[in-house]
Amino acid sequence: MKKVFCVGELLIDFVAERQGSNLVQATDFTKKAGGAPANVACAIAKLGGRGIFLGCVGNDPFGTFLLDTLKKEGVDISLAQRSKTFTTLAFVSLAEDGERDFVFCRGADKALEYDPNLRKILHGNILHLGAATALLGGSLEKAYGKYLFDALTKEMFISFDPNFRRDLWKDDEDTFIKKCTPFIEKSHLCKFSLEEAQLLSGKKDPNEACDVLHEVGTKIITVTMGSEGTLLSMAGTKKTIPSIEVSPVDTTGAGDAFIGCLLYQISGLGNFDPAFEDFALLENMVAKANVAGAITTTNYGAIVALPTKDQIGI
Ligand code: ATP
C-alpha cells in the first residue's frame, strides 16, 4: 500500500453554536479541527490506509489539540511542523439570511517549510495537494510548488483539490485561477466541486468544463455535485456516477471523505502507471468514494463523521 502525503492546512474552526446569528451576535463557539488536506489524511487513515499529514500548526495548545486529533485517527504526523506563530483560526457562523459570516486569522499554516530530505521517501507514492490556504502566500505556497516539482521527478501520482473558498478570494478570483493552473496542468487527478470546475474553466456546463480543464493538463477529473453524483471524466469518456440516497445533517467534509476514499483505493493498486487509463476501474472506485461522501453527511463534524471500510464495503 502506497503512502499518501497530504499537504496543506490544519486549523481550528470556531463554529458559532446558535445558527442564525452573525459574528457580531454570536456568543458561544465550538472548537473543531479543520483543514481539508488534514481531513483527507484522516479519511485515508480511518479506512486503514497510510495517510501522512504535511502541514504546520503553532506551538500552542490549539496546535497540540489538532495534532492529537490527527494522531488519534491514525494519521502519521511525524512530518508535521510547529511554528512560533499561533495556530491558524477561523470563526464561522451562519446568519439568519443563510449567509456565512467568517473571520480568518491566518497563523502557522502559512509557515510550512519545504523539507528537501523528504525527496528520499516520496518515490512511487501519492501526493495530495489541498489548496484552501496554500495559494494565499507564505512559505507554505513556496513549499507547495516545490513538493509538486519533487513529485514530478519522483514518479508520484499527484492529486489536486483547489478547495476554493469564496470568503478567502472575494475580489481576487482571477489570481486564484492563475495560481491553480500549474497544479491542474501537472496533476494526474483533480477533484473539483461543480463551482470550482465552472470557475476554473469559465464554462457553466460540467462536461464542457472538463474538456477545458483536460486541455490545461490533468488526465482524470472528478466533479462532485452533492446529491447529484460525481462526474468522472478521463481519456475522452465521461460518466456521472450517482450518489447514494441519505438524509444529510451536515455536509462539511463530504468532499474530503470522497477524495480520501478515492486515494485510499488508488494507494492499494499495484505498480500503477501514474497516467492509468482504466475507466471501469476508476468508475468503480468513484462509486465507493460517493458512498464515503454520503455517509459523512449523515453525522456532524468533518472528522468524526468519516466512514470505516466496513461502512463502505471495501
Ligand atoms: P466540501 O464541502 O467538503 O468541499 P464538495 O463540494 O467538495 O464538499 P460535495 O459534492 O458536497 O463535495 O460532496 C462530495 C461527494 O459526497 C459527492 O460527490 C457525493 O458523492 C457525496 N455527497 C455529498 N452530499 C451528498 C448528499 N446530500 N447526498 C448523497 N451524497 C452526497
Side-chain angles (χ1 to χ4, degrees):
M1 181 153 285
K2 295 175 196 327
K3 296 172 184 159
V4 187
F5 295 86
C6 302
V7 190
E9 80 283 0
L10 171 60
L11 50 84
I12 301 276
D13 275 324
F14 279 110
V15 184
E17 281 286 324
R18 197 164 58 85
Q19 288 218 344
S21 58
N22 60 27
L23 286 178
V24 178
Q25 300 151 337
T27 50
D28 300 307
F29 295 85
T30 305
K31 180 182 75 177
K32 290 193 171 154
N39 291 342
V40 175
C42 287
I44 292 164
K46 196 150 176 188
L47 292 171
R50 302 174 74 184
I52 300 169
F53 176 68
L54 200 47
C56 185
V57 293
N59 207 353
D60 54 23
F62 291 143
T64 303
F65 161 75
L66 290 170
L67 291 180
D68 283 353
T69 304
L70 261 53
K71 203 170 165 189
K72 259 189 238 150
E73 294 297 325
V75 174
D76 180 340
I77 54 163
S78 59
L79 298 171
Q81 298 174 16
R82 301 194 75 160
S83 112
K84 281 188 203 134
T85 320
F86 64 90
T87 296
T88 299
L89 310 172
F91 294 83
V92 197
S93 83
L94 214 52
E96 237 159 37
D97 54 5
E99 280 298 304
R100 245 163 65 105
D101 212 1
F102 183 77
V103 169
F104 187 57
C105 309
R106 192 166 191 221
D109 80 278
K110 68 168 180 284
L112 182 78
E113 294 292 341
Y114 169 70
D115 178 0
N117 296 321
L118 257 179
R119 277 195 209 128
K120 283 183 248 139
I121 54 170
L122 293 176
H123 194 86
N125 286 300
I126 297 174
L127 183 75
H128 174 67
L129 298 154
T133 68
L135 304 178
L136 290 167
S139 49
L140 169 62
E141 186 167 352
K142 289 198 194 90
Y144 212 66
K146 285 182 178 169
Y147 286 127
L148 174 69
F149 181 76
D150 281 353
L152 289 168
T153 59
K154 292 288 175 185
E155 292 171 34
M156 296 182 82
F157 183 88
I158 305 166
S159 150
F160 176 63
D161 181 346
N163 283 131
F164 177 66
R165 302 282 181 263
R166 199 162 286 284
D167 298 313
L168 296 177
W169 293 96
K170 257 176 215 138
D171 302 313
D172 213 3
E173 289 174 3
D174 288 346
T175 307
F176 176 77
I177 296 168
K178 211 164 124 199
K179 287 190 177 195
C180 282
T181 304
F183 294 92
I184 299 169
E185 191 187 326
K186 306 288 184 209
S187 297
H188 301 100
L189 162 68
C190 283
K191 179 236 170 265
F192 302 115
S193 64
L194 181 58
E195 183 192 20
E196 289 163 348
Q198 290 169 333
L199 174 74
L200 292 163
S201 66
K203 300 282 179 194
K204 211 162 170 50
D205 177 75
N207 292 294
E208 287 177 27
C210 286
D211 291 339
V212 170
L213 295 163
H214 281 309
E215 260 175 46
V216 178
T218 185
K219 287 233 159 44
I220 308 166
I221 294 177
T222 59
V223 182
T224 57
M225 301 179 292
S227 59
E228 303 296 310
T230 302
L231 173 64
L232 170 64
S233 176
M234 185 178 75
T237 308
K238 292 187 185 68
K239 187 168 178 184
T240 298
I241 297 130
S243 300
I244 62 160
E245 235 180 275
V246 286
S247 304
V249 294
D250 177 9
T251 59
T252 317
D256 303 330
F258 170 88
I259 189 68
C261 181
L262 187 55
L263 291 175
Y264 163 74
Q265 294 173 83
I266 292 173
S267 76
L269 294 176
N271 276 338
F272 56 70
D273 170 352
F276 67 94
E277 293 189 357
D278 185 340
F279 195 91
L281 176 74
L282 262 182
E283 184 183 339
N284 188 35
M285 290 180 175
V286 167
K288 302 233 162 77
N290 277 355
V291 178
I295 291 173
T296 307
T297 70
T298 61
N299 205 342
Y300 292 96
I303 294 177
V304 179
L306 290 168
T308 60
K309 241 160 114 162
D310 287 348
Q311 282 174 288
I312 303 172
I314 42 178

